[in-house]
Amino acid sequence: MKRSAFAGAMILALSGVSSLAQTSQDLKAAGGTTGDVLVYGMGYSGQRFSPLTQINKENVSRLVPVWAYSLADLQGGEGFPLVKDGVIYVTTHNATVAVDALSGKQIWRVIHEYPPETLRVVCCGIVNRGAAIYEGMIIRALMDDRLVALDSATGKEIWTAKSPDPVTHANGYAMTGAPLIVDGVVIIGVAGAEYSHRGLVEGYDAKTGKHLWRLYTIPAEGEPGSETWEGDSHQTGGGSSWVTGTYDAELDLVYWGIGNPAPWNPRARKGDNLFTNSIFAIRPKTGERVWYYQATPQDPFDYDAVQTPVIATINVDGNPRKIVMQANRSGFLYVLDAKDGRLIAANAYGKVNWADGVDRETGRPLTTDVFKGALEGRTVTVWPSVSGVTNWQHMSFSPQTGMLYINTIHVGMTYQAPEPPKLAPGKPSGAGTVKRTTVTEDPNVRGFLKAVDPLTGKSKWETPYRSPNFSSTMVTASNLVFTGVMTGEFQALDADTGKILWSFQTPSGIVGQPITWERNGKQYVTVMSGIGGVYAQRAGDPNLENLPTGVSLWTFALFDK
Amino acid sequence: MHHLITFACGAGICLASASALLAQDNSSPEAQAKIEAGESVYNNNCENCHGDQLVNTGQTFDLRRLTAGDRARFDNSVRNGKNQMPPWKDVLSNEEIDQVWSYIRSKAYQK
């Protein structure tokens, strides 16, 4: 089954012929194949861009559902659907299913059990964000820090692996993210910075489940970076890694976002708190950290930098340059050199008042009195709130328009850090450690979908929403942006103007990740509906009270006359 | 008053009347202190699923629906868990559960 990436893509594109396995080569070509969706983010770059154009601005009004499938779950539907040879694979927190892509008929369904205590340390939604596919296996993480590999044809378990000590729910660890598989290594992160864990990213052998490496995000006593923590605060320093990263084959680097320090309350961890709120470039075979960039040192506001770093080649000062882009929760949009992490641009793409900008030389935020006041325990009004200007929802990038399509949050907060708590692994270190109230400019405009220039942070257009969209976006070569709304509408917008061209009401709110694919010459769009996740559960947004719940999977295509 | 509530923590029926008392007199400094302690327990352990200030989409359970008579049910669900509601009996003390009940009742639809 070894083929050149080019040949692989051609065979799939021209004939839809099924390959028996998803080799590492197939995964590297995944961004260009339109029949299958093999990698989280629609390809290793995480651009969520599709070259498909059958559905376009003129005919999108004829988009209709082809089928819907019930996941029989009342928690959030955040999963990324994978498509392989006419089969769609999706996950919830406790189920993995295979569904016929054309008919919506279930092929197999596996229920996963985990101890109920696990959910005590799941801060941000009882969810799973998706699986990875490799050599006939569907590989996913489970809440209780396990990975499981299922036979893609039958759902039968092939291997299961428990993350080694100290990774247990009792120590504050949970797994909610989708794995990324690179050259036979399953890479996965953890949640738990709200429960005093010590964050990490780790690699497993995709064939056997054997644990290969672990990269802690917080230094141990005496290691470089441990001097950036007050006392022994690094031992419970947080730094989670709960959102999936991206991969560049040419540089052989995986880019992964690292989360907030624990506790949220910053008063007992003076210093930069390395390597929280950073972007890592990691060697996939060994787990070596090749470079890092810290966005927000000594963060009081839960501005974790877990947002997926998106890889692209763009023109910088007239020269093409390979970069990674991150729409950081802090409100700054970072553009870094993919090779060495050097700062190219960092501009606000939403309302920010804790910093005036980012120093181009040092890469550090130019913090304001709001930030200083927060560290000193004063009550301050901060933009953005702990939800961030984005949260985990993925942006998309169109190489055609050069724009990022970002679902943003437009909410601030009052904030005060009282006496800091004493932490121990597994003990809550999040929301309960600070005092907050929600602040809005207009309670009925809490979010925007924006088309943003990566180098300036400026919007070409902004489409307002009553509540922020926690759905990811997806953009096609016909300049359509797809996204979902908290109140259930699945929408297509004009990538050039932001105008909503099409909207379909699904049964619950959408916090899922739209994808598009083709089969037998027809283009399809697939997304999960099912309200849940961090904002729906936590934010206390009165616009979202009492929404209908329930996860379902939807596939749309143009209506044939 | 403080003693009465603490004493009542063992039995369901007494608790119901204690919380009825509380509902009548949230203004006493003791009752306020208990509500505040409960808010902290809530923000540390419950807010992530039940929402800031108890407001959520309704996909977990709207705790403001609990009435004064629901104390036994509350204790049972919180101690033992229910579906995706994790059990808390080996994490939270009776006192903390009582505090979080006071906080929830102070925000209830039906006082």
Side-chain angles (χ1 to χ4, degrees):
Chain A
M1 282 316 299
K2 274 265 180 282
R3 297 187 301 245
S4 79
F6 175 69
M10 287 303 286
I11 290 167
L12 288 174
L14 293 178
S15 61
V17 165
S18 100
S19 64
L20 291 173
Q22 302 71 53
T23 63
S24 298
Q25 287 307 321
D26 291 337
L27 299 184
K28 283 173 187 161
T33 58
T34 48
D36 292 333
V37 180
L38 298 177
V39 174
Y40 193 84
M42 297 175 65
Y44 276 139
S45 70
Q47 289 181 358
R48 293 170 189 261
F49 169 80
S50 171
L52 292 176
T53 55
Q54 189 176 77
I55 302 168
N56 60 36
K57 290 184 201 177
E58 281 67 48
N59 63 20
V60 67
S61 59
R62 286 199 285 120
L63 205 55
V64 290
V66 181
W67 53 260
Y69 168 85
S70 170
L71 272 297
D73 182 41
L74 299 183
Q75 303 305 323
E78 293 191 352
F80 181 84
L82 294 169
V83 186
K84 173 71 186 154
D85 297 334
V87 180
I88 299 186
Y89 302 92
V90 288
T91 60
T92 65
H93 67 106
N94 68 356
T96 309
V97 302
V99 179
D100 183 288
L102 293 182
S103 70
K105 271 221 167 76
Q106 177 175 298
I107 299 169
W108 53 258
R109 173 167 187 245
V110 175
I111 300 293
H112 311 281
E113 300 209 343
Y114 55 84
E117 292 81 8
T118 312
L119 293 176
R120 283 184 203 141
V121 299
V122 177
C123 73
C124 299
I126 304 169
V127 298
N128 181 274
R129 297 190 189 82
I133 191 163
Y134 186 76
E135 306 214 333
M137 289 181 283
I138 300 297
I139 300 175
R140 64 162 290 170
L142 296 169
M143 281 289 179
D144 57 343
D145 308 305
R146 281 182 295 142
L147 287 172
V148 58
L150 308 172
D151 184 320
S152 63
T154 62
K156 236 186 89 194
E157 186 175 304
I158 294 173
W159 57 255
T160 170
K162 165 80 185 64
S163 180
D165 281 348
V167 177
T168 61
H169 69 79
N171 286 328
Y173 295 87
M175 286 183 180
T176 54
L180 183 73
I181 301 184
V182 173
D183 285 328
V185 180
V186 185
I187 302 167
I188 187 77
V190 292
E194 278 62 43
Y195 301 95
S196 315
H197 80 348
R198 180 178 170 219
L200 52 91
V201 182
E202 53 189 7
Y204 295 79
D205 182 346
K207 287 216 171 82
T208 62
K210 188 174 163 248
H211 191 260
L212 299 176
W213 53 258
R214 174 175 283 175
L215 172 62
Y216 277 102
T217 62
I218 310 288
E221 190 65 48
E223 281 178 9
S226 59
E227 73 285 356
T228 65
W229 293 84
E230 182 177 349
D232 60 2
S233 58
H234 60 93
Q235 285 174 7
T236 48
S240 47
S241 49
W242 50 284
V243 182
T244 307
T246 47
Y247 174 64
D248 185 77
E250 190 187 38
L251 297 169
D252 192 31
L253 289 175
V254 163
Y255 303 98
W256 207 281
I258 307 302
N260 57 286
W264 287 9
N265 186 317
R267 292 176 55 188
R269 49 173 173 78
K270 284 192 192 69
D272 281 358
N273 306 147
L274 288 172
F275 297 91
T276 61
N277 294 348
S278 299
I279 299 171
F280 279 11
I282 304 170
R283 199 67 76 201
K285 270 271 182 272
T286 60
E288 178 205 352
R289 196 186 61 229
V290 176
W291 58 256
Y292 77 93
Y293 179 95
Q294 188 182 40
T296 313
Q298 206 185 358
D299 162 31
F301 307 131
D302 188 24
Y303 288 161
D304 64 356
V306 293
Q307 298 69 40
T308 300
V310 174
I311 308 165
T313 299
I314 65 169
N315 265 330
V316 180
D317 301 328
N319 299 312
R321 193 128 163 222
K322 188 176 277 182
I323 50 139
V324 290
M325 298 173 278
Q326 186 187 55
N328 196 286
R329 193 148 151 180
S330 70
F332 289 101
L333 172 55
Y334 288 90
V335 179
L336 308 176
D337 189 301
K339 199 155 80 207
D340 54 19
R342 279 225 350 241
L343 180 64
I344 293 170
N347 292 291
Y349 65 103
K351 182 166 173 175
V352 176
N353 74 353
W354 66 275
D356 284 331
V358 175
D359 187 305
R360 279 287 291 275
E361 287 313 307
T362 63
R364 295 175 73 90
L366 302 162
T367 54
T368 63
D369 195 49
V370 169
F371 188 84
K372 289 169 197 105
L375 295 185
E376 287 162 7
R378 279 188 274 134
T379 300
V380 287
T381 299
V382 191
W383 286 80
S385 76
V386 291
S387 292
V389 174
T390 51
N391 198 280
W392 77 273
Q393 65 272 53
H394 301 285
M395 61 184 183
S396 54
F397 174 74
S398 167
Q400 214 163 271
T401 64
M403 290 280 156
L404 290 164
Y405 300 93
I406 314 177
N407 274 322
T408 67
I409 305 157
H410 190 60
V411 177
M413 63 178 169
T414 66
Y415 173 98
Q416 196 259 329
E419 277 303 306
K422 187 84 199 105
L423 301 187
K427 266 189 75 173
S429 54
T433 71
V434 298
K435 292 190 159 65
R436 288 174 300 131
T437 59
T438 296
V439 175
T440 55
E441 278 179 345
D442 175 347
N444 287 319
V445 182
R446 294 175 191 240
F448 297 90
L449 172 49
K450 298 182 180 178
V452 180
D453 180 331
L455 289 173
T456 64
K458 293 218 161 63
S459 308
K460 182 168 181 203
W461 51 258
E462 306 188 344
T463 301
Y465 288 88
R466 250 170 92 92
S467 295
N469 299 332
F470 266 65
S471 161
S472 299
T473 70
M474 187 248 309
V475 59
T476 68
S478 51
N479 284 5
L480 287 175
V481 179
F482 286 86
T483 197
V485 181
M486 281 292 196
T487 40
E489 300 87 342
F490 187 47
Q491 298 184 334
L493 290 83
D494 185 330
D496 299 308
T497 65
K499 191 172 168 229
I500 297 166
L501 301 176
W502 172 83
S503 186
F504 176 87
Q505 181 67 43
T506 66
S508 181
I510 298 181
V511 291
Q513 309 183 43
I515 58 159
T516 188
W517 47 281
E518 69 173 340
R519 195 150 177 90
N520 306 332
K522 201 171 168 76
Q523 184 184 354
Y524 297 86
V525 180
T526 297
V527 72
M528 259 198 205
S529 168
I531 191 80
V534 58
Y535 187 87
Q537 280 186 190
R538 304 189 72 150
D541 184 337
N543 298 334
L544 301 179
E545 271 189 68
N546 247 329
L547 285 177
T549 55
V551 182
S552 51
L553 182 68
W554 289 76
T555 286
F556 301 86
L558 293 177
F559 184 69
D560 291 318
K561 274 192 217 126
Chain B
M1 163 100 178
H2 184 66
H3 289 291
L4 173 63
I5 298 161
T6 318
F7 171 71
C9 275
I13 297 165
C14 299
L15 279 166
S17 54
S19 52
L21 267 175
L22 251 186
Q24 284 163 29
D25 188 15
N26 271 352
S27 58
S28 79
E30 289 88 351
Q32 272 308 320
K34 193 168 166 190
I35 288 169
E36 267 175 42
E39 182 171 10
S40 163
V41 177
Y42 179 85
N43 284 340
N44 271 313
N45 301 288
C46 324
E47 177 261 8
N48 55 328
C49 292
H50 289 283
D52 194 22
Q53 310 281 315
L54 312 189
V55 179
N56 71 43
T57 54
Q59 141 228 5
T60 47
F61 179 91
D62 185 347
L63 293 170
R64 294 168 298 179
R65 275 170 43 201
L66 294 169
T67 63
D70 282 330
R71 181 61 198 263
R73 169 188 176 182
F74 176 83
D75 277 10
N76 181 47
S77 302
V78 173
R79 290 209 167 93
N80 302 312
K82 185 181 177 192
N83 296 319
Q84 272 80 53
M85 160 75 178
W88 296 96
K89 59 170 173 267
D90 51 338
V91 177
L92 297 179
S93 66
N94 288 346
E95 192 187 5
E96 286 169 314
I97 293 175
D98 192 43
Q99 288 164 344
V100 78
W101 168 259
S102 298
Y103 171 64
I104 289 167
R105 286 293 301 143
S106 76
K107 297 208 171 279
Y109 294 121
Q110 198 184 317
K111 299 282 175 191

